[in-house]
Amino acid sequence: MTNLARDRGATAVEVALLMPIVLVLVMGIVDFGWAVRAQITLTQAAREGVRVAALGQPDPSGRAVLAATGLDDVDVAVDACPAGGTPGEDSAEVVVSHTYDFITPVGGLAGLFGGGGFGAPISLSATGVMPCG
């Protein structure tokens, strides 16, 4: 057996050992990126909802849900400005939340090893507060 044949075999073994680690790492990076995108979307939705609530416009929760584009099952809690409240002293608050499920098999891989932490769905939320005006 020549050295070239042994080198090819060693390279194949190295690739076979390292490829799963590299794939899990890449999938983790992808999931992290999507989770950050979801958090940014929730922040924008909270801003939109609290703006509507602070200005006394109708349906701030509906506007927040519409602003959360690409996310399903968005929960919105609105604490609107009180009727007859003092502008500048009272404030409106909107909390938008969403449960993020991982999109790659990283969550399933963690479940195989009894993990409930890494890979389990995570709760994301954003809060918007704005003075009544």
Side-chain angles (χ1 to χ4, degrees), residues 38-39 42-43 45-46 64-65 68 71-77 94-100 122-127:
Q39 181 63 48
L42 288 177
T43 302
V65 170
L71 299 179
D72 297 331
D73 300 328
V74 174
D75 296 321
V76 180
V94 173
V95 178
V96 183
S97 58
H98 170 71
T99 302
Y100 176 76
I122 56 174
S123 240
L124 301 174
S125 68
T127 303

Side-chain angles (χ1 to χ4, degrees), residues 31 99-111 114-123:
D31 265 332
T99 302
Y100 176 76
D101 295 314
F102 289 94
I103 60 170
T104 63
V106 171
L109 291 174
F118 179 69
I122 56 174
S123 240

Side-chain angles (χ1 to χ4, degrees), residues 9-89:
T11 302
V13 170
E14 289 171 1
V15 169
L17 290 174
L18 291 177
M19 188 58 69
I21 295 169
V22 170
L23 287 176
V24 167
L25 183 65
V26 168
M27 286 187 276
I29 291 170
V30 168
D31 265 332
F32 179 76
W34 278 100
V36 169
R37 178 202 164 274
Q39 181 63 48
I40 292 170
T41 302
L42 288 177
T43 302
Q44 179 60 32
R47 280 190 202 132
E48 179 66 21
V50 77
R51 184 185 68 79
V52 170
L55 294 176
Q57 296 178 355
D59 196 22
S61 62
R63 293 283 292 268
V65 170
L66 282 176
T69 55
L71 299 179
D72 297 331
D73 300 328
V74 174
D75 296 321
V76 180
V78 178
D79 185 14
C81 293
T86 308
E89 289 184 17

